[in-house]
């Protein structure tokens, strides 16, 4: 055993700043039990999807409890198969606004609850110590005013960071419309902040959330980015969420927006959330309309291609061709429309080109690049490395030769590939099978 | 001939030493006596700590740190019959470490596969370990992972809970990992008595369970995915699945 344990030395603890909280409980319902609050405020927060805990680069240390992990850790998986990484809760689901698509809108008849900052801190710390979570994801409805709400969130963070020296991951949803000072105060203490744009166009916003505007929603994101640029610091990671399927925007419009947000280095991540009707409204899909999960999945795949595979949004879609193909993943769909780029020779093609071969993911490409340094690779070598050619075989040559007889004809390929997508006889096709490529192996 | 070793890292190092001393390779190298049939010719490798230490020192000098690490890691995959492959791999590494790049060599592929799988289990355990707070406010977790990852997960938890004392107990291997806020160590144990929980423990477990249940979205229910991500064998000590 002694070979495995590397010495681990404790670093000296820094002096904690002492913070004395004086909390004003206006909405604090003393009668409701903590457990009930937790249920209500988890239930209200769960539709927010942006919850990965990876990629924190915070340098500061607040004390001796907690650390962030570069690649993100899932602590459990809920019954819907989603990763549980953070204590994802709303501070309160009271809200003074009435956005049509939102379950917490003021006109919706719903049980309301609010935490106190101390309760939020206490839950976070105790869950963290038991290794239930990586940290906290705190969002909120707007109670009394934007500033008041942001203040309560800031208090929660200050208790965690200063009183308890908590170093774990914290993601906060900024409240659009709160004062610059408050936004700065929260941003300083968080690992990631975000602000939901919710709907892809100004027009949809005006229709469904008249109190919100593009400018108002972007304002906190821009403030945080500009601050970071001014101090030439590494900007804190920001993300946003777009609701898919509540309004009529096309996939092309959505990807164009995401691409613009990435390019302006405003955001690190855009999350797509298939709209689940929770309220009835004449302008929205009827209750019990199934959420467009496959469309959401295709958008994530396309987004992945933009962020890691150097595709631009207008390669993936165009104004004439504005909807992602439901039958094929976006990379395959792109390849089928660009057959002139193929076949590629696996022993010579560069990394970028290999990455564009349908069926080759990042891991496969790295394997190929590494192995071909030793010698030229044949089909059996690929087999020995367990590289699947199921899809790729139509698009590559190996040592100058095609794998099996195939031709690069659109109709032919389409039929061949569709046959591959067909579920095996006897097995119930489930969304999960499609989700297997969720990690980016397209 | 079949060689039999005891399954420890030291035992493996001694088998490696024997293969050099005798200038030959076993047809089979195993730690599992039950797989040996009546008429098989068996060479029982005696585990000698001194020989093992010498061999280890030799490997340390001869091999790149990554290669050595991979060899050590493979010996933790105690649910796989890795011994002969690892022997061949180590000899290959000593002879020509460029060959280790060639993933189309079956031993290279196999050993990298073992390590990858081990690291996947390590990463899973980072998330799936569940601590309980004991009477004295120290933390205690039980695990039963498919391979012996206990020695590899300590640093991670020590880093994030620097100020807390904790014990992680691998109940299927009878090993404990102890962090006393200064030192990290793994010890074998004979048995453990039932822990006495902190008065608040049930309450937080209940809160966690209600969070876990509230966070799932009814319209997206997908137990198949859930089972794929948290296979049943990990759930024994995860209170939310109880
Ligand atoms: S402001 Fe936010 S919480 Fe309030 S109704 Fe609109 S979307 Fe919902």
């Amino acid at each position: 055993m002694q070979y495995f344990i590397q010495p681990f030395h404790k670093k000296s603890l820094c002096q904690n700043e002492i913070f004395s909280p004086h909390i004003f409980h206006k909405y604090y319902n003393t009668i409701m039990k903590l457990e009930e609050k937790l249920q209500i405020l988890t239930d209200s927060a769960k539709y927010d999807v942006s919850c990965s805990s990876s990629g924190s680069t915070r340098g500061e240390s607040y004390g001796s409890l907690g650390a962030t992990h570069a690649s993100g850790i899932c602590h459990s998986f809920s019954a819907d198969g989603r990763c549980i990484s953070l204590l994802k809760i709303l501070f309160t689901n009271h809200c003074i606004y009435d956005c049509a698509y939102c379950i917490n809108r003021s006109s919706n008849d719903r049980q309301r609850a609010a935490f106190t900052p101390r309760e939020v801190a206490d839950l976070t710390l105790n869950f963290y110590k038991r290794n239930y979570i990586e940290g906290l994801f705190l969002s909120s409805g707007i109670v009394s005013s934007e500033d008041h709400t942001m203040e309560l969130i800031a208090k929660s963070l200050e208790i965690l960071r200063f009183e308890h020296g908590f170093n774990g991951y914290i993601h906060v949803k900024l409240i659009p419309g709160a004062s610059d000072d408050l936004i700065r105060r929260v941003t300083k203490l968080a690992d990631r902040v975000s602000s939901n744009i919710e709907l892809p166009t100004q027009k949809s916003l005006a229709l469904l959330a008249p109190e919100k505007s593009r400018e108002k929603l972007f304002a906190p994101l821009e403030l945080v980015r500009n601050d970071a640029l001014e101090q030439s610091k590494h900007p804190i990671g920001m993300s946003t969420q777009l609701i898919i399927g509540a309004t009529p925007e096309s996939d092309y419009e959505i990807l164009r927006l995401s691409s613009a947000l990435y390019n302006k280095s405003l955001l690190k991540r855009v999350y797509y959330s298939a709209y689940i009707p929770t309220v009835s409204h004449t302008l929205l899909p009827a209750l019990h309309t199934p959420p467009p999960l496959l469309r959401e999945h295709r958008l994530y795949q396309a987004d992945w291609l933009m962020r890691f595979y150097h595709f631009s949004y207008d390669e993936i879609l165009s104004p004439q061709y504005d909807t992602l193909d439901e039958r094929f993943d976006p990379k395959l769909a792109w390849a089928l429309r660009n057959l002139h780029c193929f076949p590629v020779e696996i022993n010579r093609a560069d990394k970028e080109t290999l990455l564009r071969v349908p069926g080759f993911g990042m891991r496969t490409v790295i394997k190929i690049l590494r192995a071909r340094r030793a010698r030229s690779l044949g089909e059996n070598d690929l087999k020995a490395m367990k590289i699947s050619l199921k899809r790729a075989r139509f698009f590559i040559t190996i040592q100058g030769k095609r794998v099996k007889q195939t031709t690069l004809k659109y109709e032919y390929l389409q039929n061949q590939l569709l046959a591959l997508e067909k579920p095996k006889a006897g097995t119930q096709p489930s969304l999960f099978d499609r989700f297997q490529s969720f990690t980016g192996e397209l | 001939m079949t060689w039999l070793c005891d399954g420890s890292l030291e035992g493996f190092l001694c088998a490696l030493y024997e293969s050099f001393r005798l200038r030959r390779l076993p047809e089979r190298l195993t730690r599992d006596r039950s797989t040996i049939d009546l008429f098989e010719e068996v060479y029982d490798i005696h585990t000698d700590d001194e020989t093992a230490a010498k061999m280890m020192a030799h490997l340390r000098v001869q091999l790149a740190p990554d290669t050595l690490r991979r060899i050590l890691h493979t010996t933790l995959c105690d649910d796989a019959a890795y011994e002969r492959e690892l022997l061949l791999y180590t000899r290959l590494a000593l002879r020509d470490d460029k060959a280790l790049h060639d993933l189309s060599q079956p031993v290279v592929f196999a050993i990298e596969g073992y390590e990858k799988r081990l690291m996947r289990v390590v990463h899973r355990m980072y998330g799936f370990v569940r601590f309980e707070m004991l009477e004295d406010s120290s933390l205690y977790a039980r695990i039963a992972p498919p391979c012996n990852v206990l020695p590899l997960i300590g640093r991670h938890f020590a880093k994030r809970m620097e100020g807390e004392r904790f014990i992680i107990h691998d109940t299927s291997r009878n090993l404990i990992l102890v962090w006393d806020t200064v030192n990290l160590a793994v010890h074998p144990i004979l048995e453990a008595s039932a822990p006495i929980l902190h008065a608040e423990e049930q309450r937080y477990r209940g809160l966690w369970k209600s969070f876990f249940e509230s966070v799932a979205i009814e319209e997206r229910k997908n137990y198949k995915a859930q089972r794929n991500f948290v296979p049943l064998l990990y759930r024994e000590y995860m209170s939310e699945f109880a």
Side-chain angles (χ1 to χ4, degrees), chain A residues 105-126:
Chain A
R105 62 180 183 161
S106 58
S107 61
N108 196 18
D109 181 20
R110 226 177 122 65
Q111 202 180 9
R112 308 280 171 168
F115 285 121
T116 64
R118 206 154 278 286
E119 283 169 336
V120 170
D122 178 68
L123 278 173
T124 308
L125 290 167
N126 276 291

Side-chain angles (χ1 to χ4, degrees), chain A residues 95 97-99 101-102 104-105 141-142 212:
Chain A
C95 193
Y97 290 124
D98 202 31
C99 309
Y101 49 82
C102 179
N104 302 320
R105 62 180 183 161
I142 294 161
K212 291 179 177 172

Side-chain angles (χ1 to χ4, degrees), chain A residues 56 58 78 87 163 245 258 293 305 331 348 357 392 411 425:
Chain A
S56 174
R58 174 164 45 81
S78 50
L87 173 61
E163 251 185 74
S258 303
L293 293 181
L305 292 180
K331 191 158 108 184
R348 268 196 311 278
V357 174
E411 286 74 24

Side-chain angles (χ1 to χ4, degrees), chain A residues 66 75-76 80 134 296 375, chain B residues 104 130 160 217 220 240:
Chain A
H75 287 257
S76 197
D80 50 19
E134 278 302 281
E296 174 195 289
R375 62 201 158 77
Chain B
S104 56
R130 293 284 173 272
R160 62 178 46 202
I217 296 178
R220 285 176 174 252
E240 66 270 31

Side-chain angles (χ1 to χ4, degrees), chain A residues 90 92-107 112 139-143 146 175-176 196 198 208-209 211-212 216 243:
Chain A
L90 293 190
T92 174
N93 64 346
H94 287 283
C95 193
I96 53 176
Y97 290 124
D98 202 31
C99 309
Y101 49 82
C102 179
I103 192 166
N104 302 320
R105 62 180 183 161
S106 58
S107 61
R112 308 280 171 168
S139 178
S140 186
I142 294 161
V143 50
E146 281 87 347
I175 308 286
N196 284 354
E198 312 282 18
L208 294 174
E211 291 98 344
K212 291 179 177 172
K216 186 171 163 189
I243 299 173

Side-chain angles (χ1 to χ4, degrees), chain A residues 252-269:
Chain A
Y252 174 71
E253 282 176 279
I254 292 169
L255 288 181
R256 193 177 54 187
L257 173 64
S258 303
S259 165
L261 293 169
Y262 290 139
N263 287 343
K264 280 195 273 181
S265 71
L266 202 54
L267 296 177
K268 241 178 118 168
R269 222 28 234 279

Side-chain angles (χ1 to χ4, degrees), chain A residues 3 11 18 28 69 84 103 105 126 142 151 179 218 261 264 308 353 427 437-438:
Chain A
Y3 298 114
K11 52 180 190 292
I18 303 298
Y28 178 36
H69 195 263
I84 299 180
I103 192 166
R105 62 180 183 161
N126 276 291
I142 294 161
E151 176 81 35
S179 78
F218 275 137
L261 293 169
K264 280 195 273 181
F308 298 110
T353 312
T427 57
S437 54
F438 195 55

